[in-house]
Amino acid sequence: MKQVLILPNPTRPNTMPLAQRVADQLGASGCQPLFEEGLRGQFTGAVFLPLEQALEACHLLLTVGGDGTILHNVKYAVRYEKPILGVNSGRVGYLAQVEPHEIGCLSRLATGEYTIQRRMLLEIQVEGDGERSLALNDAVISKGGLARLVDLEILGDGQPVGSYRADGLIFATPTGSTAYSLSAGGPIVDPGIDTILMTPICPHSLHARSVLLSPQVKLEVCGRYADNLDRLVVSVDGERVHTLECGRKVRIQRAEQAAQFIQFPEKTFNGILNVKLKSWA
């Protein structure tokens, strides 16, 4: 029996009732729904396990929430090499495959009627910091809360790529091209195309545009005119993880790992994009 770990976002309205409907659908289809132990008593017809144990036992992860819920939980999917599927209870939901009225299609998880799409990740490391962070969407280098421009210089494989005076820079994956990069004027990139997308945020220039870089390039970013009072913030998938002090560089490159997304045949990127863009009109 295929075991499915359901990871709902309890802070979103209507998510918990939807998660129960998802669990019921999975159970009726021959799958075993799992929840982490802390949710015991909030759902019925499921098995409850400590999170680490549930992650080891499950065959796939199923999130119920918005794109932020997927971003938060994809690190578990990558760490445990499990595929992930999103049921959308948020707003736009580019990353989610299933809308609330479509949960009947979850019966296909039991029969294997789906494909796995591998999506590239970025690996981010601040010089002098042993920790490496993975991004499904993007890494953003900015001034943080201060409304000031930053001066950034970018090297690719040791060679100059460019310099920007802007509110910041976004380094996005194709998956992240529909997130912050899109809001900053960047292009939409099909996730089947491997590239690193570099998009300036409010550049102080008439000519600065997004650039698509080779997925093999190894990037280094540093502030050109920073002093000790002028610290930059590096955020990964919307979470602040580093402060970039004077003289330190950020290294960004394609990660060796990839995220595995479950995809149903009729739920193509172009089809989802068409529906979501119409919802903005």
XYZ file of all heavy atoms in Angstrom, residues 158-241:
616
model
N 34.686 33.056 -12.474
C 35.839 33.932 -12.313
C 35.894 35.100 -13.278
O 36.781 35.960 -13.162
N 34.975 35.154 -14.243
C 34.960 36.228 -15.227
C 33.811 37.194 -14.939
O 32.746 36.784 -14.477
C 34.803 35.661 -16.643
C 35.911 34.709 -17.063
C 37.262 35.393 -17.093
O 37.397 36.500 -17.599
N 38.275 34.711 -16.541
N 33.988 38.518 -15.205
C 32.918 39.482 -14.940
C 31.655 39.172 -15.744
O 31.719 38.920 -16.955
C 33.532 40.816 -15.385
C 35.009 40.603 -15.334
C 35.220 39.160 -15.700
N 30.527 39.164 -15.072
C 29.224 38.992 -15.708
C 28.506 40.334 -15.811
O 27.801 40.620 -16.776
C 28.352 37.980 -14.926
C 26.928 37.944 -15.467
C 28.970 36.594 -14.985
N 28.693 41.180 -14.814
C 28.063 42.490 -14.834
C 28.055 43.092 -13.450
O 28.449 42.462 -12.459
N 27.631 44.333 -13.382
C 27.472 45.009 -12.103
C 26.153 45.769 -12.138
O 25.723 46.236 -13.203
C 28.642 45.951 -11.823
O 28.755 46.925 -12.858
N 25.518 45.876 -10.983
C 24.194 46.487 -10.897
C 24.146 47.453 -9.720
O 24.681 47.161 -8.643
C 23.108 45.426 -10.706
C 22.882 44.534 -11.904
C 23.625 43.370 -12.079
C 21.924 44.853 -12.857
C 23.422 42.550 -13.171
C 21.703 44.027 -13.955
C 22.453 42.889 -14.108
O 22.254 42.076 -15.197
N 23.504 48.578 -9.949
C 23.100 49.470 -8.875
C 21.587 49.390 -8.847
O 20.900 49.838 -9.774
C 23.577 50.899 -9.141
C 23.264 51.875 -8.025
C 24.015 53.203 -8.242
N 23.604 54.201 -7.264
C 24.059 54.275 -6.029
N 24.926 53.371 -5.601
N 23.656 55.229 -5.208
N 21.049 48.777 -7.795
C 19.623 48.452 -7.774
C 19.174 48.222 -6.340
O 19.978 48.302 -5.397
C 19.376 47.191 -8.611
N 17.894 47.925 -6.191
C 17.392 47.546 -4.873
C 17.872 46.156 -4.474
O 17.824 45.783 -3.305
C 15.860 47.567 -4.852
C 15.295 48.969 -4.739
O 16.088 49.915 -4.659
O 14.059 49.119 -4.735
N 18.309 45.385 -5.459
C 18.811 44.047 -5.178
C 18.857 43.220 -6.441
O 18.583 43.703 -7.548
N 19.217 41.949 -6.283
C 19.290 41.012 -7.397
C 18.578 39.718 -7.017
O 18.690 39.237 -5.887
C 20.744 40.695 -7.750
C 21.475 41.597 -8.742
C 22.913 41.117 -8.904
C 20.770 41.616 -10.085
N 17.862 39.170 -7.998
C 17.188 37.884 -7.824
C 17.887 36.858 -8.700
O 18.083 37.090 -9.901
C 15.702 37.966 -8.229
C 14.981 39.051 -7.436
C 15.013 36.612 -8.039
C 13.619 39.404 -8.006
N 18.258 35.747 -8.117
C 18.793 34.612 -8.867
C 17.767 33.497 -8.759
O 17.575 32.914 -7.682
C 20.153 34.183 -8.314
C 21.223 35.220 -8.504
C 21.423 36.203 -7.543
C 22.002 35.224 -9.645
C 22.401 37.174 -7.713
C 22.981 36.197 -9.820
C 23.183 37.168 -8.859
N 17.077 33.223 -9.860
C 15.931 32.315 -9.822
C 16.166 31.073 -10.664
O 16.901 31.092 -11.658
C 14.669 33.033 -10.304
N 15.520 30.001 -10.270
C 15.419 28.809 -11.106
C 14.267 29.022 -12.098
O 13.469 29.959 -11.948
C 15.101 27.584 -10.247
O 13.788 27.755 -9.671
C 16.121 27.385 -9.138
N 14.120 28.158 -13.103
C 12.926 28.242 -13.951
C 11.629 28.132 -13.144
O 10.659 28.830 -13.433
C 13.107 27.061 -14.907
C 14.590 26.910 -15.016
C 15.103 27.194 -13.632
N 11.627 27.288 -12.123
C 10.440 27.199 -11.261
C 10.148 28.542 -10.617
O 8.995 28.973 -10.527
C 10.652 26.129 -10.173
O 10.829 24.848 -10.789
C 9.467 26.063 -9.227
N 11.189 29.236 -10.181
C 11.018 30.525 -9.521
C 10.778 31.682 -10.467
O 10.570 32.819 -10.017
N 10.773 31.428 -11.772
C 10.558 32.522 -12.721
C 9.150 33.101 -12.624
O 8.911 34.229 -13.061
C 10.829 32.042 -14.158
O 9.826 31.135 -14.601
N 8.214 32.348 -12.056
C 6.838 32.852 -11.901
C 6.617 33.473 -10.523
O 5.483 33.806 -10.182
C 5.815 31.715 -12.114
O 6.096 30.641 -11.206
C 5.865 31.194 -13.540
N 7.692 33.631 -9.747
C 7.560 34.181 -8.398
C 8.090 35.619 -8.370
O 7.675 36.463 -9.158
C 8.286 33.277 -7.401
N 9.014 35.930 -7.486
C 9.507 37.297 -7.302
C 10.117 37.852 -8.588
O 9.961 39.028 -8.936
C 10.527 37.302 -6.165
C 10.912 38.666 -5.631
C 10.291 39.836 -6.059
C 11.925 38.771 -4.678
C 10.665 41.072 -5.547
C 12.300 40.009 -4.163
C 11.677 41.153 -4.609
O 12.047 42.371 -4.108
N 10.827 37.018 -9.326
C 11.449 37.462 -10.574
C 10.412 38.001 -11.553
O 10.640 39.011 -12.225
C 12.231 36.312 -11.209
O 12.815 36.705 -12.431
N 9.268 37.339 -11.642
C 8.193 37.805 -12.520
C 7.688 39.176 -12.076
O 7.472 40.070 -12.901
C 7.048 36.792 -12.526
C 5.818 37.152 -13.364
C 6.180 37.257 -14.844
C 4.708 36.124 -13.169
N 7.538 39.362 -10.768
C 7.091 40.655 -10.241
C 8.089 41.758 -10.541
O 7.721 42.925 -10.658
C 6.860 40.559 -8.725
O 5.874 39.607 -8.414
N 9.379 41.390 -10.653
C 10.427 42.367 -10.936
C 10.632 42.577 -12.431
O 11.585 43.250 -12.835
C 11.737 41.928 -10.287
N 9.767 41.994 -13.249
C 9.853 42.196 -14.690
C 10.580 41.117 -15.448
O 10.834 41.257 -16.650
N 10.904 40.015 -14.788
C 11.616 38.932 -15.446
C 10.694 38.082 -16.298
O 9.470 38.106 -16.138
N 11.254 37.276 -17.210
C 10.454 36.415 -18.088
C 9.991 35.148 -17.379
O 10.554 34.750 -16.359
C 11.432 36.077 -19.213
C 12.760 36.052 -18.520
C 12.695 37.150 -17.487
N 8.972 34.528 -17.924
C 8.536 33.213 -17.460
C 9.326 32.155 -18.230
O 9.418 32.208 -19.459
C 7.026 33.026 -17.681
C 6.249 34.009 -16.802
C 6.611 31.583 -17.384
C 4.751 34.002 -17.040
N 9.900 31.206 -17.499
C 10.732 30.170 -18.099
C 10.126 28.805 -17.796
O 9.794 28.503 -16.646
C 12.175 30.226 -17.557
C 13.051 29.179 -18.235
C 12.767 31.615 -17.760
N 9.955 27.999 -18.821
C 9.436 26.647 -18.639
C 10.389 25.864 -17.732
O 11.611 25.885 -17.944
C 9.326 25.957 -20.007
C 8.587 24.635 -19.930
O 9.065 23.722 -19.224
O 7.541 24.502 -20.589
N 9.862 25.161 -16.704
C 10.748 24.425 -15.786
C 11.501 23.277 -16.444
O 12.413 22.719 -15.837
C 9.791 23.925 -14.700
C 8.441 23.967 -15.315
C 8.454 25.098 -16.292
N 11.143 22.941 -17.675
C 11.898 21.927 -18.399
C 13.193 22.456 -18.978
O 14.018 21.687 -19.484
N 13.394 23.775 -18.910
C 14.615 24.411 -19.398
C 15.511 24.706 -18.202
O 15.122 25.449 -17.305
C 14.300 25.720 -20.150
C 13.375 25.443 -21.345
C 15.573 26.418 -20.598
C 12.856 26.700 -22.006
N 16.690 24.155 -18.188
C 17.621 24.403 -17.084
C 18.410 25.681 -17.349
O 19.143 25.778 -18.349
C 18.576 23.221 -16.904
C 17.874 22.008 -16.322
O 16.761 22.172 -15.781
O 18.429 20.903 -16.416
N 18.261 26.650 -16.469
C 18.989 27.908 -16.571
C 18.964 28.604 -15.228
O 18.117 28.280 -14.378
C 18.374 28.824 -17.652
O 19.148 30.015 -17.792
C 16.955 29.219 -17.279
N 19.884 29.529 -15.014
C 19.850 30.400 -13.837
C 19.438 31.781 -14.328
O 20.080 32.362 -15.207
C 21.218 30.460 -13.132
C 21.633 29.062 -12.663
C 21.158 31.414 -11.938
C 23.027 29.001 -12.056
N 18.364 32.280 -13.795
C 17.784 33.545 -14.224
C 18.204 34.649 -13.262
O 17.936 34.563 -12.065
C 16.254 33.407 -14.244
C 15.402 34.625 -14.562
C 15.750 35.201 -15.915
C 13.919 34.239 -14.511
N 18.873 35.676 -13.789
C 19.336 36.796 -12.966
C 18.500 38.035 -13.301
O 18.522 38.525 -14.433
C 20.819 37.071 -13.221
C 21.414 38.166 -12.356
S 23.218 38.305 -12.561
C 23.338 38.869 -14.275
N 17.746 38.536 -12.306
C 16.844 39.662 -12.517
C 17.133 40.768 -11.513
O 17.060 40.533 -10.301
C 15.367 39.230 -12.374
O 15.079 38.195 -13.309
C 14.425 40.404 -12.611
N 17.464 41.982 -11.973
C 17.667 43.098 -11.036
C 16.331 43.616 -10.504
O 15.319 43.580 -11.209
C 18.361 44.158 -11.902
C 17.913 43.857 -13.299
C 17.732 42.368 -13.368
N 16.342 44.084 -9.265
C 15.150 44.660 -8.639
C 15.262 46.178 -8.705
O 16.169 46.768 -8.121
C 15.017 44.223 -7.171
C 15.078 42.697 -7.047
C 13.722 44.748 -6.552
C 15.248 42.211 -5.622
N 14.353 46.814 -9.449
C 14.350 48.281 -9.585
C 15.745 48.821 -9.884
O 16.291 49.619 -9.111
C 13.782 48.939 -8.334
S 12.083 48.489 -7.962
N 16.348 48.420 -10.981
C 17.705 48.881 -11.282
C 17.740 50.366 -11.611
O 16.800 50.904 -12.212
C 18.099 48.036 -12.496
C 16.792 47.711 -13.163
C 15.813 47.529 -12.029
N 18.822 51.029 -11.222
C 19.020 52.447 -11.522
C 19.673 52.543 -12.893
O 20.822 52.993 -13.053
C 19.889 53.097 -10.439
C 19.883 54.593 -10.486
N 20.953 55.317 -10.954
C 18.930 55.491 -10.142
C 20.677 56.605 -10.878
N 19.453 56.743 -10.397
N 18.935 52.105 -13.923
C 19.459 52.043 -15.281
C 18.300 51.896 -16.251
O 17.270 51.301 -15.918
C 20.411 50.855 -15.435
O 20.714 50.622 -16.794
N 18.465 52.423 -17.447
C 17.459 52.256 -18.495
C 17.679 50.972 -19.284
O 16.856 50.606 -20.115
C 17.497 53.454 -19.454
C 17.121 54.815 -18.865
C 17.304 55.906 -19.912
C 15.681 54.806 -18.356
N 18.778 50.284 -19.038
C 19.155 49.166 -19.899
C 19.239 47.824 -19.162
O 19.419 46.793 -19.801
C 20.502 49.461 -20.565
C 20.555 50.780 -21.267
N 19.829 51.050 -22.398
C 21.223 51.922 -20.966
C 20.053 52.298 -22.788
N 20.905 52.852 -21.933
N 19.150 47.815 -17.861
C 19.296 46.569 -17.109
C 18.081 45.669 -17.328
O 16.937 46.090 -17.140
C 19.466 46.875 -15.629
N 18.326 44.459 -17.736
C 17.275 43.473 -17.985
C 17.671 42.134 -17.367
O 18.814 41.915 -16.971
C 17.056 43.292 -19.491
C 16.518 44.522 -20.213
C 15.080 44.808 -19.813
N 14.526 45.928 -20.571
C 14.568 47.194 -20.177
N 15.177 47.499 -19.032
N 14.039 48.141 -20.909
N 16.708 41.232 -17.335
C 17.006 39.876 -16.874
C 17.965 39.189 -17.836
O 17.954 39.453 -19.046
C 15.717 39.052 -16.769
O 14.847 39.583 -15.807
N 18.785 38.301 -17.273
C 19.742 37.540 -18.071
C 19.573 36.065 -17.750
O 19.479 35.680 -16.578
C 21.194 37.981 -17.764
C 22.182 37.177 -18.594
C 21.368 39.475 -18.033
N 19.530 35.239 -18.794
C 19.495 33.791 -18.611
C 20.911 33.257 -18.728
O 21.573 33.441 -19.754
C 18.593 33.134 -19.659
C 17.116 33.535 -19.649
C 16.364 32.783 -20.743
C 16.491 33.255 -18.296
N 21.370 32.595 -17.672
C 22.738 32.098 -17.608
C 22.767 30.579 -17.732
O 21.778 29.894 -17.449
C 23.383 32.523 -16.291
C 23.465 34.029 -16.041
C 23.864 34.294 -14.590
C 24.448 34.681 -16.999
N 23.913 30.060 -18.130
C 24.096 28.617 -18.211
C 23.882 27.973 -16.838
O 24.326 28.529 -15.819
C 25.502 28.297 -18.704
O 25.833 26.940 -18.474
N 23.240 26.813 -16.782
C 23.073 26.139 -15.484
C 24.396 25.633 -14.911
O 24.473 25.302 -13.733
C 22.131 24.974 -15.802
C 22.335 24.720 -17.258
C 22.602 26.067 -17.877
N 25.448 25.596 -15.739
C 26.755 25.123 -15.266
C 27.602 26.242 -14.638
O 28.625 25.961 -14.020
C 27.546 24.494 -16.416
C 27.178 23.050 -16.721
C 25.859 22.948 -17.470
O 25.647 23.705 -18.423
N 24.999 22.039 -17.068
N 27.196 27.493 -14.806
C 28.025 28.593 -14.340
C 28.062 28.640 -12.814
O 27.060 28.350 -12.143
C 27.517 29.944 -14.911
C 26.178 30.341 -14.307
C 28.545 31.047 -14.679
N 29.218 28.975 -12.274
C 29.372 29.157 -10.839
C 29.541 30.648 -10.566
O 30.517 31.261 -11.005
C 30.575 28.357 -10.322
C 30.383 26.851 -10.483
C 31.538 26.058 -9.903
C 31.289 24.557 -10.062
N 32.405 23.750 -9.506
N 28.570 31.212 -9.868
C 28.488 32.650 -9.682
C 29.042 33.079 -8.329
O 28.926 32.346 -7.336
C 27.031 33.116 -9.792
C 26.345 32.875 -11.140
C 24.843 33.038 -10.999
C 26.901 33.813 -12.202
N 29.624 34.268 -8.312
C 30.034 34.920 -7.068
C 29.488 36.340 -7.099
O 29.618 37.042 -8.112
C 31.551 34.957 -6.923
C 32.188 33.603 -6.654
C 33.675 33.713 -6.369
O 34.270 34.750 -6.745
O 34.238 32.773 -5.782
N 28.882 36.763 -5.996
C 28.299 38.098 -5.910
C 28.867 38.782 -4.674
O 28.947 38.179 -3.595
C 26.759 38.036 -5.797
C 26.161 39.432 -5.860
C 26.174 37.148 -6.883
N 29.257 40.040 -4.835
C 29.735 40.808 -3.684
C 29.323 42.261 -3.844
O 29.079 42.742 -4.950
C 31.252 40.696 -3.516
S 32.196 41.385 -4.894
N 29.218 42.965 -2.697
C 28.939 44.386 -2.712
C 30.207 45.157 -3.018
O 31.256 44.908 -2.430
N 30.113 46.101 -3.938
C 31.330 46.813 -4.366
C 31.726 47.937 -3.410
O 32.889 48.238 -3.252
C 31.120 47.388 -5.768
C 31.061 46.335 -6.854
C 31.193 46.978 -8.213
N 30.065 47.877 -8.488
C 30.036 48.750 -9.484
N 31.088 48.874 -10.274
N 28.981 49.516 -9.687
N 30.720 48.611 -2.813
C 31.019 49.769 -1.989
C 30.437 49.637 -0.598
O 30.049 50.603 0.024
C 30.487 51.042 -2.652
C 30.962 51.220 -4.063
C 30.063 51.225 -5.112
C 32.318 51.363 -4.346
C 30.498 51.386 -6.413
C 32.763 51.518 -5.645
C 31.840 51.524 -6.679
O 32.272 51.670 -7.958
N 30.387 48.421 -0.091
C 29.809 48.201 1.236
C 30.815 48.561 2.317
O 32.027 48.414 2.153
C 29.375 46.745 1.391
N 30.283 49.073 3.435
C 31.127 49.239 4.611
C 30.487 48.462 5.752
O 29.495 47.768 5.572
C 31.298 50.721 4.972
C 29.973 51.433 5.202
O 29.052 50.799 5.780
O 29.845 52.604 4.825
N 31.052 48.555 6.921
C 30.571 47.734 8.027
C 29.147 48.065 8.448
O 28.489 47.277 9.125
C 31.515 47.874 9.224
C 32.829 47.165 8.982
O 32.878 46.175 8.257
N 33.901 47.686 9.553
N 28.684 49.269 8.097
C 27.316 49.648 8.439
C 26.356 49.358 7.297
O 25.164 49.621 7.401
C 27.257 51.146 8.805
C 28.121 51.566 9.993
C 28.014 53.079 10.194
C 27.705 50.825 11.246
N 26.885 48.832 6.223
C 26.109 48.657 5.000
C 25.991 47.171 4.671
O 26.546 46.684 3.703
C 26.818 49.393 3.859
C 25.850 49.925 2.832
O 24.677 50.092 3.172
O 26.280 50.178 1.698
N 25.284 46.458 5.482
C 25.202 45.005 5.332
C 24.038 44.614 4.423
O 22.972 45.212 4.460
C 25.036 44.341 6.702
C 26.234 44.579 7.611
C 26.059 43.911 8.947
N 27.225 44.132 9.793
C 27.346 43.649 11.014
N 26.383 42.921 11.544
N 28.438 43.888 11.714
N 24.270 43.578 3.641
C 23.257 43.077 2.731
C 22.595 41.843 3.325
O 23.181 41.140 4.151
C 23.897 42.723 1.383
C 24.688 43.840 0.701
C 25.330 43.313 -0.575
C 23.794 45.021 0.404
N 21.396 41.584 2.882
C 20.641 40.421 3.340
C 20.513 39.431 2.187
O 20.209 39.816 1.058
C 19.236 40.839 3.835
C 18.376 39.610 4.114
C 19.349 41.697 5.075
N 20.776 38.171 2.468
C 20.591 37.101 1.498
C 19.433 36.235 1.971
O 19.476 35.674 3.070
C 21.861 36.233 1.365
C 21.660 35.166 0.290
C 23.075 37.094 1.060
N 18.386 36.147 1.150
C 17.238 35.310 1.512
C 17.082 34.194 0.485
O 17.367 34.377 -0.704
C 15.952 36.137 1.591
O 15.640 36.721 0.349
N 16.656 33.049 0.960
C 16.487 31.868 0.115
C 15.042 31.411 0.212
O 14.550 31.102 1.300
C 17.448 30.738 0.552
C 17.200 29.481 -0.279
C 18.897 31.190 0.425
N 14.358 31.404 -0.925
C 12.934 31.044 -0.976
C 12.113 31.821 0.045
O 11.243 31.276 0.729
C 12.745 29.539 -0.785
C 13.055 28.752 -2.052
O 13.171 29.374 -3.130
O 13.189 27.524 -1.980
N 12.410 33.112 0.153
C 11.618 33.995 1.007
C 11.970 33.972 2.471
O 11.360 34.690 3.264
N 12.961 33.170 2.861
C 13.373 33.104 4.259
C 14.765 33.721 4.409
O 15.694 33.372 3.682
C 13.397 31.655 4.749
C 12.027 30.989 4.707
C 12.079 29.562 5.224
O 13.188 29.085 5.532
O 11.016 28.927 5.308
N 14.894 34.677 5.352
C 16.191 35.330 5.571
C 17.143 34.341 6.239
O 16.865 33.812 7.309
C 15.999 36.561 6.452
C 17.285 37.283 6.799
C 17.003 38.605 7.470
N 18.235 39.223 7.964
C 18.318 40.479 8.363
N 17.258 41.253 8.335
N 19.458 40.966 8.805
N 18.263 34.115 5.580
C 19.185 33.106 6.112
C 20.593 33.637 6.376
O 21.340 33.044 7.137
C 19.269 31.888 5.169
C 17.964 31.139 5.134
C 19.662 32.323 3.756
